[in-house]
Amino acid sequence: SEHQHICIGCGVKVQTEHPNELGYAPHSALEKETIICQRCFRLKHYNEVQDVSLTDDDFLRILNEIGKTDALIVMIVDIFDFNGSWLPGIHRFVGQNKVLLVGNKVDLLPKSVKPNKLILWMKQESKKLGLLPEEVFLVSAAKGMYIKETAAAIDEYRNGKDVYVVGCTNVGKSTFINRIIKEVTGEGDVITTSHFPGTTLDIIKIPLDDGKSLIDSPGIINHHQMAHFVDKRDLKVITPKKEIKPKVFQLNEGQTLFFGGLARFDYVSGGRRSFVCYVSNEVNIHRTKTENASELYENHVGEMLTPPRQEQLETFPALVKQEFTVREAKTDIVFSGLGWITVNEPGAKVIAYVPKGVQTMIRKSLI
Ligand code: GDP
């Protein structure tokens, strides 16, 4: 209909087409006297936030609003995909506000990883990206690890102010907030969403005990993540569910690794050496000679080299390459959203291939 419905919870325009996007409500909700979007409904009735995504422009608008407020900002990143899940430009939007950086999904990293070293690494990377967080935390929202400590720090740093939680989709923002809600309110407390007449905030406020709020903002989709190029069913394959078991490959020059059909890694020069692969345990790694690699890919992508699936091949982007020279010991070659390969000794020349649109990069080793 021509009539525009507005959610009384968050002020967003209500739509009935896209369940994972902002403002979704089922048709039946429109018949009610007061209309509430599904995200606010879930918070109100189940004390649970749900992840929804936004277009880039809308997201920038929200970040802008956040910059103008006086609040604590909690930014969540996925530690398994640190750079891929970074909010581009966040440093320009935080304004004078303090930021706490939370690295989620720490349960995925091998037990050998030292948390303090990783936190230091995160601080250095943040600085390079222009952000100086007050503190950095490693948590597992799914497993409930270090939530108490993080909740306590949020309460300390907010200093009586509102708290904005930001992050791109899939970093585990909803899981994190839901944990925090339980931590802050205890189970059973009913949370209500509040109404802001005349404004479209697209954010939902979760009341804290001093009248301030924990504010959930929608996530932004990072278009260069591998997740957007795989079938929904294959997301389970590339997204690690438990502790990653690093796989070590001794390679000679002129050897190639395929990660399913999603990525390819050529070892060009640097003598026989080992490469440590950190990808989901379910991703199939196939070794071959570089001279045969292109032909192998053409003949077997979609079957032996999968994902992608056969039926996706028509739309699946071609692999594009980027060459890297490893100049320092302990360097990672990163395939955004899929994982990384650690090179322990300097002096290697490698080529990384990913579907056109996905990012590859080189960084100081995270582990
Ligand atoms: P949002 O889009 O940022 O709100 O993310 P969600 O909370 O919906 O989580 C995205 C995906 O990450 C889901 O499949 C979660 O199960 C998973 N996830 C969230 N937190 C963790 C965590 O601490 N560890 C692991 N391994 N997975 C997590």
Side-chain angles (χ1 to χ4, degrees):
S1 79
E2 296 298 300
H3 190 71
Q4 184 59 65
H5 297 291
I6 302 289
C7 167
I8 63 147
C10 65
V12 71
K13 283 184 196 159
V14 172
Q15 50 92 11
T16 55
E17 302 280 302
H18 309 287
N20 294 320
E21 285 169 26
L22 195 64
Y24 175 77
H27 271 289
S28 57
L30 302 186
E31 287 149 23
K32 306 267 162 63
E33 210 159 289
T34 53
I35 293 168
I36 183 166
C37 74
Q38 185 166 51
R39 182 158 156 255
C40 287
F41 182 89
R42 294 252 283 250
L43 177 61
K44 187 163 187 236
H45 295 282
Y46 307 120
N47 281 358
E48 264 189 19
V49 297
Q50 173 196 15
D51 51 323
V52 296
S53 60
L54 268 187
T55 64
D56 303 12
D57 284 353
D58 284 339
F59 190 75
L60 289 180
R61 187 174 52 74
I62 289 190
L63 283 184
N64 255 323
E65 283 174 26
I66 293 176
K68 288 185 222 139
T69 63
D70 181 21
L72 173 68
I73 295 169
V74 176
M75 173 157 122
I76 320 256
V77 293
D78 177 348
I79 193 63
F80 180 68
D81 188 17
F82 183 87
N83 296 83
S85 65
W86 189 264
L87 286 177
I90 180 75
H91 60 288
R92 288 195 303 267
F93 291 102
V94 296
Q96 301 298 310
N97 296 324
K98 288 185 174 170
V99 181
L100 298 182
L101 179 63
V102 175
N104 187 31
K105 309 195 186 182
V106 70
D107 55 295
L108 294 179
L109 298 179
K111 292 276 183 301
S112 58
V113 175
K114 302 213 167 46
N116 286 339
K117 203 184 146 205
L118 184 50
I119 285 174
L120 193 64
W121 181 92
M122 287 170 70
K123 285 183 180 161
Q124 288 165 350
E125 290 299 301
S126 303
K127 200 172 165 190
K128 279 189 215 158
L129 292 161
L131 191 75
L132 287 175
E134 301 300 312
E135 261 193 75
V136 175
F137 296 90
L138 282 177
V139 307
S140 169
K143 298 265 151 60
M145 295 158 70
Y146 309 109
I147 297 294
K148 262 195 173 46
E149 294 83 343
T150 310
I154 290 174
D155 207 44
E156 185 191 323
Y157 280 100
R158 77 185 180 89
N159 203 10
K161 298 174 189 170
D162 289 334
V163 183
Y164 281 84
V165 185
V166 297
C168 71
T169 55
N170 220 37
V171 296
K173 184 161 63 65
S174 314
T175 312
F176 176 80
I177 292 181
N178 289 329
R179 283 276 178 190
I180 295 281
I181 290 174
K182 293 223 168 76
E183 192 61 46
V184 173
T185 66
E187 222 125 358
D189 283 347
V190 177
I191 284 168
T192 51
T193 58
S194 26
H195 177 37
F196 304 93
T199 56
T200 300
L201 292 172
D202 315 341
I203 55 180
I204 53 183
K205 293 196 164 192
I206 299 149
L208 298 168
D209 54 15
D210 58 1
K212 295 294 174 179
S213 302
L214 184 73
I215 295 157
D216 180 33
S217 61
I220 188 173
I221 294 173
N222 263 1
H223 302 280
H224 56 263
Q225 282 178 306
M226 195 69 88
H228 302 297
F229 297 93
V230 301
D231 187 280
K232 281 237 155 37
R233 291 165 286 179
D234 292 329
L235 259 186
K236 292 199 207 90
V237 175
I238 70 163
T239 310
K241 285 281 170 287
K242 49 178 198 253
E243 184 187 334
I244 294 167
K245 299 259 177 297
K247 294 198 185 79
V248 184
F249 286 84
Q250 298 289 336
L251 295 187
N252 296 316
E253 297 175 357
Q255 285 192 309
T256 287
L257 298 177
F258 279 106
F259 298 84
L262 294 175
R264 166 178 163 182
F265 177 80
D266 291 356
Y267 181 29
V268 180
S269 64
R272 184 172 168 79
R273 63 171 68 215
S274 59
F275 295 90
V276 190
C277 301
Y278 295 88
V279 295
S280 163
N281 303 335
E282 266 122 85
V283 170
N284 207 349
I285 306 179
H286 184 92
R287 183 208 304 237
T288 187
K289 281 187 181 153
T290 305
E291 58 185 18
N292 302 333
S294 295
E295 200 186 328
L296 183 91
Y297 189 78
E298 260 173 45
N299 292 335
H300 294 290
V301 63
E303 31 147 312
M304 183 177 78
L305 304 176
T306 181
R309 290 165 182 248
Q310 196 76 45
E311 67 262 31
Q312 273 184 282
L313 292 183
E314 250 174 59
T315 54
F316 190 73
L319 299 187
V320 293
K321 65 178 178 181
Q322 183 163 4
E323 192 173 300
F324 295 102
T325 303
V326 177
R327 296 212 161 78
E328 283 168 52
K330 297 215 156 267
T331 296
D332 294 339
I333 307 295
V334 182
F335 303 82
S336 189
L338 183 69
W340 65 89
I341 298 176
T342 300
V343 189
N344 284 320
E345 305 291 334
K349 199 175 263 183
V350 303
I351 304 178
Y353 294 73
V354 283
K356 191 171 165 41
V358 176
Q359 235 172 31
T360 52
M361 59 172 295
I362 189 166
R363 73 179 178 200
K364 189 170 180 289
S365 193
L366 168 133
I367 292 179

